[in-house]
Amino acid sequence: MDIVVKGRKTEVPERFRKHVAEKLKLDKIQKLDAKVISLDVEVSKEPNPRQADRCERVEITLRSRGPVIRAEAAASDPYAALDLAAEKLEARLRKQHDKRHTRRGVRRLTAAEVPDHVPGAATLNGNGGLVPEEDSDAVPTKKIGSLEVKGEGPLVVREKTHVASPMSLDQALYEMELVGHDFYLFVDSETKQPSVVYRRHAYDYGVIHLSTDQMVAEAQAADAGGTLHG
């Protein structure tokens, strides 16, 4: 297996590519996940001078026969960002490795039970309210229309397409926690509907299912047929 290093709207020097190979030890990664298929490293640069301390971003994507694992970090230079992202990747690999071994013969946790079993989970105060967690980045946020943008911008919309296998809601929650995101898109194995599970507060989750209105679909099909044959 090779490590693929690419730049998004930026050049990647050969010295950095060699550093990636030295930093991401394949033998160490394969010990934690023997089914690794590919390992991609994407480097991008934030052009906004006001974010000079976070202008270099590195995203590592590990694909295997199990769930996809991603880790990303930003810093003032790509080498520091790579170090941070590599640490996150190793931590998530170890988490997956430990779960794979401890979950054999053990029932899955419900969403309500997660805070009691996951280290570092959010806690509640004496009144039952959420204890706020300090924001380590301390980056201000602002509203642009219906979107909340971190920092000074610019507003960038990234588009990605992924292949999805049907899975249960419990599995989707597990996958979301594994990649460290606040939402996870999946196809519900029971309803066969496109769905998204998301974090509401701490470990309180929500799920949205999408369904097609059959009457609307038939009306649109009829209109399309009339246009073609009229």
Side-chain angles (χ1 to χ4, degrees):
M1 179 193 68
D2 295 326
I3 301 176
V4 177
V5 183
K6 57 185 177 181
R8 181 160 57 87
K9 298 182 180 180
T10 186
E11 294 292 330
V12 181
E14 188 61 30
R15 179 187 170 198
F16 182 78
R17 294 178 185 274
K18 292 180 179 179
H19 183 69
V20 170
E22 295 172 357
K23 187 68 179 178
L24 300 177
K25 301 292 186 181
L26 292 180
D27 55 344
K28 187 175 182 179
I29 291 175
Q30 289 175 330
K31 284 183 180 180
L32 295 173
D33 189 345
K35 299 179 180 180
V36 176
I37 297 173
S38 66
L39 187 63
D40 298 332
V41 178
E42 183 179 87
V43 183
S44 59
K45 188 176 181 67
E46 169 57 59
N48 190 342
R50 296 184 180 181
Q51 297 190 24
D53 59 335
R54 296 169 55 85
C55 62
E56 300 288 349
R57 179 171 294 275
V58 173
E59 178 179 311
I60 306 174
T61 303
L62 184 148
R63 293 180 174 84
S64 68
R65 296 177 186 174
V68 174
I69 300 177
R70 288 187 179 86
E72 58 182 322
S76 57
D77 69 85
Y79 295 91
L82 174 65
D83 291 346
L84 293 173
E87 290 176 5
K88 291 181 181 179
L89 178 71
E90 182 176 348
R92 289 170 184 171
L93 273 173
R94 291 190 180 280
K95 180 179 179 180
Q96 181 195 29
H97 179 269
D98 294 342
K99 282 187 175 181
R100 188 164 51 243
H101 286 77
T102 58
R103 287 175 51 154
R104 293 174 181 172
V106 180
R107 69 176 182 86
R108 289 181 178 175
L109 300 176
T110 65
E113 295 174 314
V114 171
D116 298 328
H117 295 80
V118 177
T123 56
L124 301 178
N125 57 28
N127 298 323
L130 178 65
V131 177
E133 195 173 309
E134 292 295 331
D135 186 357
S136 59
D137 295 331
V139 178
T141 59
K142 62 182 178 181
K143 298 286 287 186
I144 297 180
S146 61
L147 299 177
E148 185 175 277
V149 181
K150 178 173 282 191
E152 297 297 327
L155 177 62
V156 179
V157 178
R158 298 175 61 188
E159 182 176 351
K160 293 185 178 180
T161 301
H162 299 283
V163 177
S165 300
M167 63 179 65
S168 65
L169 176 59
D170 284 348
Q171 182 65 22
L173 287 170
Y174 166 66
E175 303 289 352
M176 182 181 72
E177 291 297 333
L178 189 61
V179 298
H181 290 173
D182 292 328
F183 67 93
Y184 191 83
L185 299 171
F186 69 104
V187 177
D188 194 298
S189 58
E190 292 185 5
T191 64
K192 310 303 181 185
Q193 295 174 334
S195 307
V196 58
V197 63
Y198 61 95
R199 189 193 310 279
R200 298 181 67 247
H201 305 288
Y203 283 89
D204 182 16
Y205 300 99
V207 61
I208 299 173
H209 300 289
L210 298 180
S211 62
T212 302
D213 189 316
Q214 188 63 31
M215 294 180 65
V216 172
E218 291 176 356
Q220 291 176 340
D223 290 342
T227 302
L228 290 174
H229 299 291

